[in-house]
Amino acid sequence: MARALLLPAAFLVSLCSAAAAKTGCAAVAKYPDGSEITRECIVEGEGKAKGARGSVNGIDEEFLWLKDTRWNWNNWRDVIFKANGAFLAPAEGCEREGNPQCKWATDSDKLYVYFGGAGRHTLTVAPDQQSMYGARDSDGDEVSAARR
């Protein structure tokens, strides 16, 4: 028999006052004993530190030059950054376009490669746009690539 999850008798009230608009969003938990706890709202995509582990989508204009380029990954084999955001590589199910786990995206200063089962890699591109370096997010395993 399934057991219901019982939550404390509290509810959240979003504050939409002028003060909250200045600082962002706030929520108040009001408990039956009369106590209240005010906390900052966390809105997905806002207020995250750079490098936060959330998903990144899209290609920043600073990285448009990367579309349809070929790179040698870790002195191993070549990979391709397709213009549509697909990431092609000879492993991890990334051999053909269409795998949603094989893609690339950027923010204004980092490149994020979703390399199939190997997971997300975060890289920095050298100023000359001929090399990149970084690490796999899950374990810190270093990665580098050289432009072909």
Side-chain angles (χ1 to χ4, degrees), residues 10 15-17 20 35 66 70 84 89 94 107 116 119 124 128 136:
L15 300 176
C16 297
S17 66
S35 63
L66 191 55
R70 180 180 297 265
N84 64 1
C94 298
D107 59 22
T124 300
D128 67 1
R136 182 170 37 215

Side-chain angles (χ1 to χ4, degrees), residues 1-13:
M1 179 172 175
R3 293 172 53 185
L5 176 64
L6 298 177
L7 300 174
F11 62 94
L12 296 176
V13 178

Side-chain angles (χ1 to χ4, degrees), residues 15-37:
L15 300 176
C16 297
S17 66
K22 280 185 177 181
T23 61
C25 177
V28 177
K30 294 184 179 184
Y31 294 89
D33 68 359
S35 63
E36 295 182 3
I37 298 175

Side-chain angles (χ1 to χ4, degrees), residues 86-107:
F87 175 73
L88 301 180
E92 299 293 335
C94 298
E95 294 86 356
R96 286 186 285 267
E97 285 187 59
N99 184 342
Q101 294 183 346
C102 301
K103 62 183 182 175
W104 66 281
T106 69
D107 59 22

Side-chain angles (χ1 to χ4, degrees), residues 10-135:
F11 62 94
L12 296 176
V13 178
S14 180
L15 300 176
C16 297
S17 66
K22 280 185 177 181
T23 61
C25 177
V28 177
K30 294 184 179 184
Y31 294 89
D33 68 359
S35 63
E36 295 182 3
I37 298 175
T38 302
R39 297 197 175 157
E40 178 184 358
C41 297
I42 298 174
V43 179
E44 184 67 31
E46 293 181 8
K48 286 186 174 180
K50 284 193 178 235
R53 292 203 40 115
S55 181
V56 176
N57 292 309
I59 300 167
D60 188 85
E61 66 183 33
E62 294 291 321
F63 287 90
L64 294 178
W65 61 268
L66 191 55
K67 291 181 174 186
D68 289 324
T69 59
R70 180 180 297 265
W71 296 74
N72 182 261
W73 190 267
N74 276 346
N75 294 313
W76 169 63
R77 308 265 300 268
D78 285 0
V79 300
I80 300 172
F81 295 91
K82 298 291 288 182
N84 64 1
F87 175 73
L88 301 180
E92 299 293 335
C94 298
E95 294 86 356
R96 286 186 285 267
E97 285 187 59
N99 184 342
Q101 294 183 346
C102 301
K103 62 183 182 175
W104 66 281
T106 69
D107 59 22
S108 61
D109 59 358
K110 296 284 185 195
L111 166 64
Y112 304 94
V113 177
Y114 300 86
F115 197 155
R120 187 172 96 169
H121 297 64
T122 301
L123 297 105
T124 300
V125 178
D128 67 1
Q129 300 178 348
Q130 298 302 305
S131 62
M132 58 179 76
Y133 59 91

